[in-house]
């Protein structure tokens, strides 16, 4: 840059753009390429004609790396000659190829770079690419009511033309992928407007970029425009003869709010719609009295002391779901797949075949297989022992999305983090359970998860000690994130009660009802659990 240009640049830094005029140079036919500034100086972006604030006249050519642009209408794109002149957008020859040229200027209007668009839709940047801001930023006074931000230069021309070339619109230089960086560089300019409307392409990348850019602006300033279905971008609307819908999309743009923030007045459609929450009953009637069954989208935790029979309850649940045509995924990390399979088949046969063997006869064994595992409603994970939490998440996601599993039984959560994850156990459990809770909501599945309890200070759980949420092992997050939590209590040493398990609802987000809900009796001959009457010694606790 020569000394004259350097001097003028310094002068421009102390002045503000006021508007476009026809170029005073007799050799230039531009009607509005001359930019006037509030200190009196001006510059023509077409021919380089310059007038200082003292009236001195000179010609400042484009930097040597930039091309001289010939202004023509873009008929195939629906862009008129007047719009192209307004923006200085036109054609030039580069390396023997005719290209479309968008000239980028600094905040005082001096050309610094050009973006070339080739016929095959590829792009090239000439000049100072590092300091490229928003295309067209120099054309508008900051602090006006509204500025629209689009993805590309042709979209910028389209929106400008649809609104009479009067209202502020700018374009990011590198599409959706670099939009947030361009907005960051021009954040002060954009923040000066009362409203900033992001009208990006009607695809996922455009929608994501609009949200990311909106989050950078002061609260309440950003809005996101939605284009009609089947329309890709603003230029597509112009070419389709729907340019009248562009200002409609601008004025109907919805204010951006961070994820999760919902206005009460927007909820009428939601609250007036009757929810049809499907609840599937547990195999034991008493467990349904307070919980009203199992629902997808909920995390259910089963907990008790050691050896109380959580795995037996899981098998009863799995069998109940499978034989009622519900697809179940079983991740039993303390036993082999064969042991899990025989346990479910044994429930059908009313025989603990894992103990007594499979000498029930091949015909009966095949009958049990066909009625349970052979239905196609059971998916098992062949794994024993601890596993990385991300592996667990991926297995559950695969079962739900690829195999249409609706109900997952995980036995148990503690073993998931027992060796692979390092550090404090409480934090490890927090991490896994938080991911599982999010997955349940995302996939709309029911996850039935087994968790161990800490040893109580008083009577041990194995001696009939009362369960509570505070005793959940390792982390309060299990109790906090579970929708339903059942505690199972049994005195293994009592001559009368050793085979009877008390079922207690510790948490119930659905109805709020908690307390003892039923008693289950284990029959060692059949290997089955069945509901039994409440012994008199526990009748003092309310079942309501």
């Amino acid at each position: 840059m020569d000394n004259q240009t350097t001097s003028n640049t310094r002068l421009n830094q102390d002045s503000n753009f006021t508007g476009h005029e026809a170029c005073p140079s007799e050799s230039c036919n531009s009607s509005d390429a001359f930019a006037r500034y509030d200190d009196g100086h001006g510059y023509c972006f077409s021919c380089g004609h310059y007038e200082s604030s003292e009236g001195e006249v000179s010609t400042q050519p484009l930097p040597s790396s930039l091309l001289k642009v010939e202004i023509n209408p873009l008929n195939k794109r629906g862009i008129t000659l007047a719009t192209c002149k307004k923006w200085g957008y036109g054609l030039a020859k580069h390396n023997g190829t005719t290209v479309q040229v968008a000239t980028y200027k600094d905040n005082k209007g001096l050309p610094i770079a050009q973006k070339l668009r080739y016929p095959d839709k590829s792009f090239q940047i000439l000049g100072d690419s590092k300091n490229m801001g928003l295309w067209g930023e120099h054309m508008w006074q900051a602090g006006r009511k509204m500025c629209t931000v689009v993805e590309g230069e042709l979209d910028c021309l389209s929106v400008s033309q649809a609104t009479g070339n009067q209202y502020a619109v700018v374009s990011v230089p590198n599409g959706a992928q670099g939009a947030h960086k361009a907005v960051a560089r021009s954040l002060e300019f954009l923040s000066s407007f009362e409203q900033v409307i992001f009208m990006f392409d009607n695809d996922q990348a455009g929608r994501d970029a609009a949200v990311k850019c909106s989050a950078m602006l002061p609260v309440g300033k950003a809005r996101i425009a939605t284009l009609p279905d089947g329309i890709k971008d603003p230029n597509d609307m112009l070419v389709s003869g729907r340019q009248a819908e562009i200002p409609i999309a601008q004025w109907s743009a919805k204010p951006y709010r961070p994820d999760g923030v919902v206005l009460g007045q927007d909820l009428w459609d939601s609250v007036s719609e009757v929810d049809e929450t499907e609840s599937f009953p547990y195999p034991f009637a008493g467990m349904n009295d307070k919980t009203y069954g199992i629902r997808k989208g909920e995390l259910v935790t089963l907990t008790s002391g050691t050896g109380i029979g959580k795995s037996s309850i899981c098998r009863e649940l799995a069998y109940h779901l499978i034989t009622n045509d519900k697809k179940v995924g079983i991740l039993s990390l303390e036993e082999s797949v064969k042991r899990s399979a025989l346990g479910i088949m044994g429930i059908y046969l009313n025989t603990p075949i894992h103990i007594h063997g499979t000498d029930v006869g091949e015909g009966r064994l095949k009958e049990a297989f066909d009625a349970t595992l052979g239905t196609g409603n059971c998916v098992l994970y062949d794994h024993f022992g601890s596993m990385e939490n991300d592996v667990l998440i991926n297995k559950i996601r695969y079962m739900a999305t690829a195999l249409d599993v609706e109900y997952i039984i995980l036995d148990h959560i503690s073993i998931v983090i027992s060796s692979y994850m390092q550090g404090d156990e409480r934090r490890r459990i927090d991490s896994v359970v938080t991911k599982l809770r999010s997955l349940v909501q995302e996939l709309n599945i029911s996850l039935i998860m087994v968790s161990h309890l800490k040893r109580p200070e008083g009577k041990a759980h194995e001696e009939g000690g009362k369960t509570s949420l505070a005793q959940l092992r390792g982390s309060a997050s299990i109790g906090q994130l579970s929708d339903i939590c059942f505690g199972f209590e049994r005195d293994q040493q009592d001559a009368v009660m050793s085979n009877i398990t008390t079922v207690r609802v510790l948490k119930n987000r659905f109805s709020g009802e908690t307390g003892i809900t039923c008693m289950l009796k284990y029959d060692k001959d059949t290997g089955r659990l069945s509901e039994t009457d409440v012994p008199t010694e526990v009748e003092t606790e309310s079942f309501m």
Side-chain angles (χ1 to χ4, degrees):
M1 185 176 292
D2 58 28
N3 292 333
Q4 177 66 42
T5 302
T6 302
S7 173
N8 292 335
T9 301
R10 293 196 192 102
L11 181 63
N12 289 349
Q13 290 172 349
D14 298 322
S15 57
N16 296 307
F17 171 76
T18 59
H20 285 285
E21 303 173 2
C23 181
S25 173
E26 295 180 0
S27 62
C28 181
N29 60 2
S30 175
S31 61
D32 60 0
F34 188 82
R36 182 70 70 181
Y37 294 84
D38 58 6
D39 66 351
H41 88 275
Y43 177 79
C44 179
F45 303 116
S46 178
C47 70
H49 179 82
Y50 177 81
E51 291 183 358
S52 72
S53 56
E54 290 79 20
E56 297 177 355
V57 177
S58 65
T59 299
Q60 296 184 17
L62 286 171
S64 59
S65 61
L66 303 186
L67 307 176
K68 186 169 179 62
V69 178
E70 180 181 343
I71 307 298
N72 289 295
L74 304 175
N75 296 323
K76 290 184 178 179
R77 290 290 184 171
I79 309 296
T80 65
L81 179 61
T83 299
C84 289
K85 282 186 175 182
K86 171 80 174 180
W87 287 83
Y89 191 93
L91 306 177
K93 284 282 187 179
H94 187 254
N95 294 332
T97 302
T98 299
V99 294
Q100 294 180 15
V101 182
T103 301
Y104 280 72
K105 297 152 188 171
D106 62 18
N107 61 349
K108 301 306 178 184
L110 293 177
I112 59 170
Q114 288 177 329
K115 182 176 176 182
L116 313 185
R117 178 187 176 96
Y118 285 83
D120 63 358
K121 298 183 180 180
S122 62
F123 297 94
Q124 181 181 355
I125 303 295
L126 300 180
D128 184 8
S129 61
K130 292 182 179 180
N131 291 311
M132 289 171 62
L134 300 173
W135 189 57
E137 181 177 338
H138 68 282
M139 296 173 58
W140 314 106
Q141 274 190 312
R144 292 187 177 184
K145 181 175 180 60
M146 182 179 74
C147 181
T148 301
V149 185
V150 295
E151 271 195 44
E153 292 82 9
L154 292 175
D155 294 328
C156 200
L157 297 173
S158 301
V159 173
S160 180
Q161 182 169 301
T163 53
N165 291 323
Q166 300 180 58
Y167 299 100
V169 54
V170 292
S171 168
V172 298
N174 295 313
Q177 71 276 9
H180 66 287
K181 293 182 180 179
V183 168
R185 287 194 294 268
S186 299
L187 199 57
E188 183 178 355
F189 167 75
L190 291 175
S191 297
S192 71
F193 290 86
E194 292 182 30
Q195 294 180 8
V196 179
I197 298 171
F198 291 97
M199 188 182 288
F200 286 172
D201 287 4
N202 194 14
D203 54 24
Q204 192 59 51
R207 288 186 286 271
D208 291 345
V211 170
K212 193 170 184 178
C213 292
S214 296
M216 301 170 69
L217 291 170
V219 175
K221 198 170 286 284
R223 292 173 177 261
I224 298 177
T226 301
L227 299 180
D229 290 342
I231 292 293
K232 179 183 179 296
D233 53 39
N235 185 248
D236 193 15
M237 294 182 74
L238 192 68
V239 173
S240 301
R242 301 174 65 174
Q243 70 178 47
E245 296 179 52
I246 291 178
I248 295 175
Q250 287 176 296
W251 292 109
S252 61
K254 294 183 178 180
Y256 163 77
R257 290 192 295 269
D259 288 344
V261 178
V262 181
L263 297 180
Q265 66 255 33
D266 295 337
L267 290 175
W268 170 246
D269 289 342
S270 177
V271 300
S272 61
E273 181 179 348
V274 177
D275 287 334
E276 297 182 359
T277 304
E278 179 186 357
S279 293
F280 189 76
Y282 287 95
F284 309 111
M287 292 177 71
N288 297 311
D289 290 342
K290 295 182 185 297
T291 64
Y292 298 89
I294 312 169
R295 285 162 294 278
K296 288 187 284 186
E298 289 188 349
L299 172 61
V300 177
T301 296
L302 312 180
T303 190
S304 74
T306 302
I308 303 300
K310 296 183 292 295
S311 295
S312 295
I313 294 169
C314 286
R315 282 191 282 272
E316 289 282 358
L317 286 172
Y319 173 78
H320 175 67
L321 291 164
I322 291 167
T323 53
N324 280 278
D325 203 28
K326 301 296 182 182
K327 200 158 188 179
V328 182
I330 301 174
L331 298 95
S332 186
L333 305 181
E334 286 192 313
E335 62 185 26
S336 66
V337 167
K338 183 176 181 180
R339 170 66 182 88
S340 299
L342 290 176
I344 294 171
M345 292 167 62
I347 292 176
Y348 175 85
L349 295 170
N350 283 320
T351 301
I353 55 178
H354 69 285
I355 297 176
H356 302 308
T358 56
D359 56 357
V360 294
E362 185 175 341
R364 288 281 288 153
L365 194 65
K366 184 62 165 64
E367 178 187 337
F369 178 85
D370 291 341
T372 55
L373 306 176
T375 61
N377 291 330
C378 182
V379 178
L380 298 97
Y381 179 45
D382 189 4
H383 184 85
F384 183 86
S386 60
M387 62 190 300
E388 294 183 30
N389 61 335
D390 288 338
V391 173
L392 171 68
I393 298 296
N394 288 338
K395 299 302 179 186
I396 293 175
R397 185 184 297 279
Y398 176 77
M399 286 183 176
T401 58
L403 302 178
D404 298 323
V405 169
E406 301 173 290
Y407 301 85
I408 302 284
I409 297 175
L410 171 61
D411 185 9
H412 56 84
I413 184 60
S414 298
I415 203 169
V416 174
I417 51 87
S418 62
S419 69
Y420 280 99
M421 296 182 67
Q422 302 300 315
D424 181 74
E425 182 186 45
R426 180 174 301 176
R427 292 189 177 184
R428 298 193 322 250
I429 292 178
D430 278 344
S431 174
V432 177
V433 175
T434 300
K435 289 181 180 180
L436 287 172
R437 186 65 190 82
S438 298
L439 194 67
V440 165
Q441 197 71 33
E442 174 195 343
L443 301 177
N444 192 33
I445 58 174
S446 175
L447 175 60
I448 301 167
M449 178 179 73
V450 174
S451 178
H452 287 174
L453 291 172
K454 297 180 290 189
R455 293 186 180 277
E457 293 183 1
K459 183 186 291 187
H461 299 117
E462 295 78 16
E463 297 174 1
K466 186 177 178 180
T467 58
S468 72
L469 287 177
Q471 296 167 351
L472 283 164
R473 180 176 173 182
S475 172
S477 64
I478 296 176
Q480 292 168 351
L481 296 176
S482 296
D483 295 283
I484 304 289
C485 189
F486 288 104
F488 301 98
E489 304 157 2
R490 178 164 64 91
D491 188 346
Q492 298 172 332
Q493 306 304 316
D494 188 273
V496 176
M497 302 289 289
S498 61
N499 287 327
I500 295 179
T501 299
T502 301
V503 182
R504 186 186 301 274
V505 179
L506 302 177
K507 180 180 181 180
N508 185 352
R509 185 171 281 146
F510 185 73
S511 70
E513 300 175 75
T514 57
I516 293 177
T517 188
C518 67
M519 311 289 286
L520 301 178
K521 182 177 182 179
Y522 179 75
D523 188 328
K524 65 179 181 179
D525 294 326
T526 64
R528 298 296 306 274
L529 287 166
S530 60
E531 210 163 349
T532 189
D533 293 335
V534 184
T536 55
E537 54 263 46
V538 296
E539 285 182 346
T540 54
E541 288 208 45
S542 173
F543 271 65
M544 300 301 291

